[in-house]
């Protein structure tokens, strides 16, 4: 009964074989789609591939660490009950097979739970947790090589980070960028692995962007939405790409159009960021690893406090007050919680994080679980205040400077400062440190124990050389 | 390894048995959740139930008419490939079984395709296409009665419509309200059918609202996003409610909070609308049926033009120009397309719609398929202009007044006006008209042919009396 609804003369409709349109500076969505669709492994510098492998290994640990977490298990139960009981892709928390859609959904929920997944400063996007679940699930489904998978991942990082920068600080004030923009990062990665051409990728962007969602409101209530955001960014991005491969059409200017993402969800979008040195500046390299298992906005102050303690030999009991000098974004995100009621909320509480680093020297997953509300931590928490610092705020989000003022019982006030918190690009983690973090996270919730965890780790480091990605648990077996 | 993250003293955490909290005027999300969770069939006036049945029958025809439509079939293929191959709920376009999640997704895509599904004027929300797919799929899954299903549907209508009104005109300028707010309508309906209590319903709202999405940008390109919006509003709303039933927590103030939906996506949100005469004013009764198979924004002018033609015995060939006097929302949504390239785009083109009603007397699904771009329609299209009319704009969205000025070849200018387009609450469709529309839509794409279509129709009219909703195709059989 239906007439064909494809109009032959219109650009961007055919998926699969159309010739690339000439680059149009007024159509950045298309230029970005062209880049993502055309990215080749050979064009990615070796250092970028190496860094992407580091990010993958780092992500894998976070995904395993989500095992047993109530919100993650809840999403997994939903997936199982909704048709996700078997399939070619692995759900990492229970090693079951599932359709790629649900594997991506659950692994994305899992890898964002312990707050140890990576972050890109300038975009305030957590790329790994929305990109790797998608490329792993699709690579396992299709038998893709590690090269193909890593190429797709880099496409996701480069696209997602630029869109995050484009959407600006006004967006992040209300929206959880990893939920919203993460949908496009996931779509770019999925589209690349599915082999979409420029036109198809543009359709995928359209279908992804029109599903972009995620509000910060949940933080006030210690609600579980953060995992839902990453789960659905990954799943919806994968769906958008898969639909595009099937001829499903999206808006051509979902980023910059008059009724597109920026029009609806940003008041300071900067189009220049979308194509910023595309193919020359590798934003993947700028991604930070999380050393502490807390919201990244707490890390600069945490490291600055550790620096003061180390430099001056401060005893924690001599500290009577700490002022964390922060950017406005930290106040927006962290300012809602005075007394945390859950581990997850504690990771978004500056006082708790500083209390843990002051008392334990490190705020890792175990340190939070073993008493985020212990008496000495709670007492320290009440000594901490955040204030807006003009220098820190001006540098943000390009640089996340940490500054603290520490008042001691003897009346001295010590100043602490770090210009690059541990894990930042200029202070990145070594492969040894990433391996140690992986083993810690794999064991944390029983996701994988030695010696298997070590075997998984060895295989993960070789990801870019694998002819077939296969199972992350059983080398040589398809997933 | 995880400590329990539920804090026993916090309200709204337990799902299933908690006592309702006292009504708090500063917490409209909770009051709305309380209403939805507590709505009983006995509390719904008989006239409202009757109207809801009319809306259900009307919806069922639209769902069948989506069969064969490229975007709808694409979403169905995605669902099948992602785990949606079997289950207790019916996918209406192919009569296959699927998990409730995917059945809701596909039926919601299908029922919004031919632009014949209902609309509530004040909220500019299409409730049926996001509410009925969810309640039907869940009722088929659980063996619920027609009463339970209709109670849940009314909960979805009452909640969704009020939230749509709350989000205001600024929201609709960029966002497709049926995509965004539709997620909450779906969650309310699903939550009621799943038996959530107030606390659980509030969690469902939080998880639904943080997934609210849908941008108008796609209209410019005749893209397929409209079906994606309804598909995912229904699916995400169902997911939100199901997660809440499993203890998954959402933001408590997703509508009114400082980082909630209105904060992110509206500049004129009016909190007074959220609880407007809840339980006394039945917004379900205010919902309009679509007589023409086009964007509702074209209907007032279409009916006004038909009125001029009838009153003055105008011959279509004597018309040299038509000015449609419209509200700003019509210009925002319809103004992007000058020359439609698809049937769907034609339904959003004022000139085409007026051309079809002028030439054919009615703009139904067949009239669009049989030549939206026929020479005489295209010629008429170019004679039509839209202008903003102050009176029409002031009345909108509460009332959708239609006004046209028709210039004839002899120089006369005739004025046409309708205060309630056909299908509006004061000019509603009779059961006979709804039945005729159902049979037309069921046959349109081969969704169901007589005599089966008549049997389905007879059964659909009895929905509220069925002890077990079961299959819509095979009476007496579970789905």
């Amino acid at each position: 009964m239906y007439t064909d609804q494809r109009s032959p003369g219109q650009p961007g409709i055919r998926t699969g074989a159309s010739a690339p349109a000439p680059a149009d500076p007024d159509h950045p969505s298309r230029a970005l789609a062209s880049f993502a669709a055309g990215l080749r492994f050979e064009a990615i510098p070796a250092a970028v591939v190496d860094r992407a492998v580091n990010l993958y290994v780092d992500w894998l640990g976070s995904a395993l660490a989500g095992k047993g977490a109530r919100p993650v298990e809840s999403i997994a139960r939903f997936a199982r009950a909704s048709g996700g009981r078997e399939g070619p892709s692995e759900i990492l928390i229970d090693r079951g097979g599932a359709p790629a859609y649900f594997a991506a959904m659950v692994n994305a929920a899992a890898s964002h739970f312990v707050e140890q997944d990576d972050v890109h400063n300038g975009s305030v996007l957590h790329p790994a947790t929305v990109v790797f679940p998608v490329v792993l699930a699709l690579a396992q489904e299709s038998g893709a090589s590690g090269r193909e998978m890593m190429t797709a991942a880099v496409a996701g990082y480069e696209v997602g980070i630029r869109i995050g920068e484009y959407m600006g600080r006004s967006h992040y004030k209300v929206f959880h960028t990893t939920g919203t923009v993460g949908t496009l990062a996931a779509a770019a990665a999925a589209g690349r692995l599915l082999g979409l051409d420029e036109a198809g990728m543009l359709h995928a962007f359209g279908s992804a962007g029109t599903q972009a969602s995620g509000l910060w409101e949940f933080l006030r209530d210690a609600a579980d939405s953060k995992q839902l955001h990453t789960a659905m960014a990954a799943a919806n991005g994968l769906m958008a790409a898969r639909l595009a491969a099937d001829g499903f059409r999206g808006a051509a200017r979902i980023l910059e159009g008059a009724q597109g993402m920026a029009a609806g969800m940003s008041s300071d979008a900067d189009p220049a960021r979308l194509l910023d040195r595309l193919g020359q500046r590798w934003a993947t390299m700028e991604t930070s690893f999380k050393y502490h298992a807390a919201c990244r906005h707490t890390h600069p102050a945490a490291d600055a406090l550790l620096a003061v303690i180390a430099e001056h030999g401060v005893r924690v009991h001599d500290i009577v007050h700490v002022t964390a000098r922060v950017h406005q974004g930290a106040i927006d995100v962290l300012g809602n919680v005075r007394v945390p009621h859950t581990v997850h909320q504690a990771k978004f509480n500056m006082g708790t994080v500083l209390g843990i680093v002051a008392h334990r020297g490190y705020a890792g997953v175990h340190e939070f679980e073993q008493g985020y509300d212990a008496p000495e931590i709670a007492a320290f928490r009440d000594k901490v205040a955040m204030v807006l610092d003009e220098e820190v705020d001006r540098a943000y989000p390009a640089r996340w400077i940490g500054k603290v003022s520490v008042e001691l019982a003897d009346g001295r006030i010590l100043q602490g400062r770090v210009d690059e918190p541990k894990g930042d690009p200029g202070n990145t983690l070594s492969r040894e440190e990433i391996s140690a973090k992986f083993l810690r996270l794999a064991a944390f919730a029983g996701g994988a124990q030695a010696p298997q965890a070590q075997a998984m780790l060895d295989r993960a480091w070789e990801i870019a050389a694998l002819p077939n990605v296969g199972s992350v648990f059983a080398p040589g077996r398809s997933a």
Side-chain angles (χ1 to χ4, degrees), chain A:
Chain A
M1 196 60 219
Y2 289 100
T3 52
D4 185 354
Q5 293 179 37
R6 305 195 189 196
S7 165
Q10 242 177 313
I13 288 174
R14 276 177 298 270
T15 300
S18 67
D24 174 356
D26 293 335
H27 196 171
S29 287
R30 180 179 293 279
L32 213 49
S34 181
F35 169 81
L39 184 63
R40 292 165 50 79
F41 183 81
E42 295 73 16
I44 307 172
V48 178
V49 174
D50 285 352
R51 183 62 62 86
V53 171
N54 291 8
L55 295 165
Y56 168 68
V57 175
D58 187 69
W59 168 78
L60 197 56
S62 280
L64 294 169
K67 183 182 172 75
R70 184 182 48 74
V72 177
E73 296 290 345
S74 197
I75 290 173
R77 274 191 295 275
F78 174 79
R80 296 289 187 213
S82 300
R85 271 180 308 277
E86 56 187 40
S89 306
E90 286 175 324
I91 291 182
L92 300 180
I93 56 168
D94 66 7
R95 307 187 182 195
Y101 176 64
F102 284 119
M105 187 189 289
V106 177
N107 293 338
S111 53
H112 203 45
F113 187 79
V114 295
E115 293 288 334
Q116 287 261 267
D117 55 307
D118 66 16
V119 60
H120 180 271
N121 287 349
S123 57
V124 203
L125 175 76
H126 299 278
T129 191
V130 291
V131 165
F132 284 117
V134 165
V135 295
L136 179 64
L138 289 175
Q140 290 181 329
E141 177 190 81
S142 67
S145 71
R147 278 186 169 214
E148 293 172 73
M149 176 173 135
M150 297 312 287
T151 305
V154 171
Y157 271 70
E158 297 295 322
V159 165
I161 287 168
R162 282 176 176 81
I163 298 175
E165 292 177 336
Y166 162 69
M167 293 296 285
R169 292 176 69 159
S170 66
H171 180 68
Y172 189 76
K173 254 185 122 62
V174 180
F175 292 94
H176 180 202
T177 302
T178 302
T180 54
V181 174
T183 314
L184 285 126
R192 180 65 190 80
L193 206 52
L194 293 173
L196 296 183
D197 66 2
E198 176 194 294
M201 188 67 85
L202 193 60
H203 288 305
F205 284 8
S207 292
T210 206
Q211 294 189 74
S213 66
L215 294 160
W216 279 121
E217 182 62 25
F218 74 93
L219 269 189
R220 263 166 251 276
D221 308 308
D224 302 323
S225 312
K226 209 157 188 271
Q227 284 72 57
L228 185 62
H229 294 170
T230 54
M232 296 316 289
N236 291 336
L238 183 151
M239 178 188 195
R242 188 141 259 175
L243 287 175
D246 193 36
F248 194 94
R249 295 153 59 178
R253 295 170 188 268
I254 197 65
L255 304 174
E256 69 274 27
Q259 290 167 306
M261 278 179 71
M265 301 193 278
S266 172
S267 58
D268 65 342
D270 177 2
R273 307 311 301 267
L274 278 175
L275 307 178
D276 180 34
R277 291 163 288 156
L278 205 53
Q280 283 131 38
R281 165 200 167 207
W282 293 93
T284 305
M285 290 294 285
E286 303 161 359
T287 306
S288 300
F289 298 90
K290 268 191 174 175
Y291 180 62
H292 301 292
C295 175
R296 186 64 178 176
H297 292 297
T298 65
H299 291 214
D303 283 3
L305 177 60
L306 285 171
V308 167
I309 289 172
E311 188 184 342
H312 298 278
V314 173
R315 291 179 313 175
V316 63
H317 296 293
D318 291 337
I319 296 175
V320 296
H321 191 75
V322 178
T323 303
R325 303 187 176 283
V326 299
H327 51 274
Q328 183 62 43
I331 293 171
D332 292 342
V333 171
L334 306 174
N336 303 318
V337 175
R338 300 223 167 275
V339 178
H341 292 285
T342 65
V343 165
H344 195 263
Q345 216 175 25
K347 294 177 174 182
F348 287 80
N349 181 267
M350 182 66 89
T352 301
V353 175
L354 296 194
I356 291 176
V357 300
H359 279 276
R360 317 271 187 258
Y362 171 60
V365 285
H366 288 286
E367 286 71 16
F368 277 99
E369 289 291 331
Q370 286 160 5
Y372 73 87
D373 54 357
E376 70 277 17
I377 305 297
F380 197 98
R381 183 187 71 216
D382 295 337
K383 299 177 186 170
V384 173
M386 277 191 292
V387 299
L388 183 66
D389 183 279
E390 206 188 310
E391 182 203 6
V392 172
D393 194 55
R394 220 170 28 237
Y396 175 88
R399 292 185 305 131
W400 294 43
I401 300 170
K403 284 164 79 171
V404 292
S405 301
V406 180
E407 187 184 340
L408 302 183
D410 63 11
R412 278 187 297 159
I413 296 182
L414 307 174
Q415 306 297 336
R417 177 190 183 101
V418 295
D419 282 288
E420 297 203 77
K422 191 165 173 69
D424 259 25
N427 187 12
T428 193
L429 302 191
S430 66
R431 288 207 160 181
E432 290 67 34
E433 287 173 315
I434 294 167
S435 288
K437 182 180 165 189
F438 171 88
L439 294 172
R440 200 157 58 229
L441 291 179
F444 169 64
Q449 305 284 358
Q452 190 196 28
Q454 183 63 49
M456 287 174 64
L457 179 61
D458 295 344
R459 181 172 165 81
W461 283 122
E462 296 303 315
I463 185 77
L466 296 176
N468 180 328
V469 167
S471 168
V472 302
F473 297 104
R477 199 190 70 186
S478 63

